[in-house]
Amino acid sequence: MSEKNLKQKLAEAGNTVELLRNQQVGPNVYPGVPGEYSNWRDEQRAWAETAVLFNQSYHMVDLLVTGPDAFEMLAYLAPNSFNNFKPNMAKQFAPVTPEGYVIGDVILFYLADEKFELVGRAPAIEWVEYHAATGKWDVTVERDERTAARPEAEKNTRRNYRFQLQGPNALKILEKAMGETPPDLKFFRMAPIMIDGVEVRALRHGMAGQPGYELFGPWKDYDTVHSALVEAGKDDGLKLVGGRTYASNTLESGWIPSPLPAVYTGEGTEDFREWLGDKSYAGMCSLGGSYVSDNIEDYYLTPWDLGYGIMVKFDHEFVGREALEKLDKQPKRKKVTLALDNEDILRVMSSMLQKGEKAKFLEFPSAVYAMHPYDAVLKDGETVGISTWIGYTVNAGRFLALAMVDESVAEPGTEVSLLWGEPDGGTSKPTVEPHVQTQIKAVVAPAPYSEVARDSYAEGWRTKGN
């Protein structure tokens, strides 16, 4: 950690919202792969029609947690139940603060007795590291940093490679790569398989509404496994997916990847802020969008906001339990997809083809321009929700946004508006050009938006209501 801690940095900044909205970083980057292997339209289309190979080896942090108390510590930090959680299983891990607000969202892999791995963005992982360092737990943690944050000499190696094979032809391609029928796994279950003579761990998964597998193993086997999968998929429409396309797949799956870590205020995280360095994730990430409040706590999200309410189980003691028990009795926002009006999208885009004032540029396929996008959702001029991801998908033929809205407007078919662009011409982030705000009409739709996604996911947070 750096000499200055996060608490000191926030005190010097004065206004946390202004600090984060003017950070000099844009959206999360996806290093290690080209922006496009072919073109993002065909890459998007392939996950719905044939199959894709996502390369997730570079952009996420991995944290290995081992030791006699590993299970107990992770259960204490998780709102979801660890009952019947056993080796060769995985689950969503979205810890909350003592005040009940989400810190982050990663996948927790139960690799073996006393051995776990967490994979995803840094906030939840740093929360686990903090408890391992300061708590009573007999555990060891080993952080494998994402490529963008590694020293130059270490950028071409990680502890594990991590690929995701998915789409209608995923099972057929995996069978060819293995030379035998893949194991019949339930959702988020794992098993060892063999590909071209090396052992691979396979997790039954799905990310854009289609069946698939996450495949991972030691870095030394990267080339062997990757080459075997590409060869196996050459006659079944397998497409490699670049970083430009990857950021848009969540629009169809309905997973919100960007909860702002709720660690900037509150007595329950004060010691954590003192432990975190000023160059930690929370100290360096950026906020963007039309939703602006002077109070950073207005950006905090609950498990129900993210559609994780079904996962919260009060069958064990965990950090934030008392707060979530109270929040559970209060009115809640609902996660939805906003289908943005095509004519309004064309109006926004056409402003680029004229002199004078312009709307905020809409990038394809992902229009996200900050690490944590927060746009206001309006009804009759009043804010009724927050949109937190926006982009275009060729499979839907339109721009979509993932949002959380008040129950009063959550019914599919309800007409709302998304306020696009930042106030006062925009903040000083390098991804923000001078522009004017405008409203884009939208219709509320379910999340996930894809019919396939809503029908085929394992019953749980992706399919159940709040």
Side-chain angles (χ1 to χ4, degrees), residues 22 37 61-62 73 82 93 136 164 171 173 201 231 241 252-253 258 269 276 309 315 336 375 429 437 439 449:
N22 289 283
Y37 283 93
V61 182
D62 288 20
M73 182 186 74
F82 274 48
F93 182 82
K136 60 183 180 180
Q164 190 174 124
L171 184 62
I173 293 169
R201 183 92 65 140
E231 177 65 22
V241 172
E252 295 179 45
S253 70
S258 55
T269 52
L276 281 173
D315 61 357
V336 299
D375 287 314
K429 287 186 294 297
Q437 286 185 315
Q439 291 188 31
Y449 185 77

Side-chain angles (χ1 to χ4, degrees), residues 159-175:
R159 183 164 55 227
N160 295 319
Y161 66 83
R162 198 170 297 275
F163 308 131
Q164 190 174 124
L165 177 68
Q166 66 178 58
N169 295 343
L171 184 62
K172 184 193 304 184
I173 293 169
L174 185 58
E175 184 169 355

Side-chain angles (χ1 to χ4, degrees), residues 251-254 335 337 445-451 453-454 457 462-463:
L251 294 165
E252 295 179 45
S253 70
K335 183 176 71 172
T337 305
Y449 185 77
S450 163
E451 291 293 340
R454 293 202 300 275
Y457 271 129
R462 294 182 191 264
T463 54

Side-chain angles (χ1 to χ4, degrees), residues 394-410:
V394 70
N395 297 312
R398 67 193 312 153
F399 271 81
L400 302 175
L402 300 179
M404 53 209 72
V405 299
D406 296 344
E407 284 284 356
S408 62
V409 297

Side-chain angles (χ1 to χ4, degrees), residues 42-48 50-54 164-167 237-241:
D42 284 347
E43 291 172 14
Q44 281 187 339
R45 190 175 289 111
W47 67 55
T50 53
V52 294
L53 186 63
F54 292 122
Q164 190 174 124
L165 177 68
Q166 66 178 58
L238 180 67
K239 290 283 188 182
L240 302 182
V241 172

Side-chain angles (χ1 to χ4, degrees), residues 97-227:
T97 66
E99 292 78 22
Y101 296 105
V102 173
I103 293 171
D105 177 13
V106 298
I107 301 298
L108 172 63
F109 297 82
Y110 197 164
L111 300 176
D113 289 336
E114 301 184 5
K115 186 177 182 180
F116 300 81
E117 191 156 31
L118 298 104
V119 181
R121 286 195 182 190
I125 285 171
E126 291 171 343
W127 183 244
V128 173
E129 288 178 307
Y130 163 71
H131 282 274
T134 63
K136 60 183 180 180
W137 319 103
D138 183 5
V139 298
T140 299
V141 296
E142 300 174 50
R143 179 166 174 162
D144 188 36
E145 189 58 78
R146 70 192 187 96
T147 299
R150 295 169 75 86
E152 197 64 35
E154 301 176 10
K155 287 191 182 298
N156 293 321
T157 182
R158 297 287 307 271
R159 183 164 55 227
N160 295 319
Y161 66 83
R162 198 170 297 275
F163 308 131
Q164 190 174 124
L165 177 68
Q166 66 178 58
N169 295 343
L171 184 62
K172 184 193 304 184
I173 293 169
L174 185 58
E175 184 169 355
K176 287 183 180 179
M178 293 174 59
E180 60 181 324
T181 302
D184 184 15
L185 297 173
K186 294 182 179 179
F187 187 74
F188 265 30
R189 300 297 193 272
M190 292 182 287
I193 62 173
M194 298 298 294
I195 294 179
D196 200 11
V198 302
E199 185 172 285
V200 176
R201 183 92 65 140
L203 169 74
R204 178 69 173 81
H205 196 11
M207 199 165 180
Q210 292 288 353
Y213 293 83
E214 187 164 315
L215 306 166
F216 61 99
W219 190 262
K220 64 181 178 62
D221 297 333
Y222 177 111
D223 290 332
T224 299
V225 176
H226 192 271
S227 298

Side-chain angles (χ1 to χ4, degrees), residues 332-338 376-386 403-417 442-446:
K332 303 175 183 64
R333 292 182 292 201
K334 184 177 178 63
K335 183 176 71 172
V336 299
T337 305
L338 302 181
V377 180
L378 308 177
K379 179 71 173 179
D380 299 326
E382 298 294 324
T383 300
V384 293
I386 300 170
M404 53 209 72
V405 299
D406 296 344
E407 284 284 356
S408 62
V409 297
E411 185 68 25
T414 303
E415 296 182 359
V416 295
S417 294
V443 173
V444 173

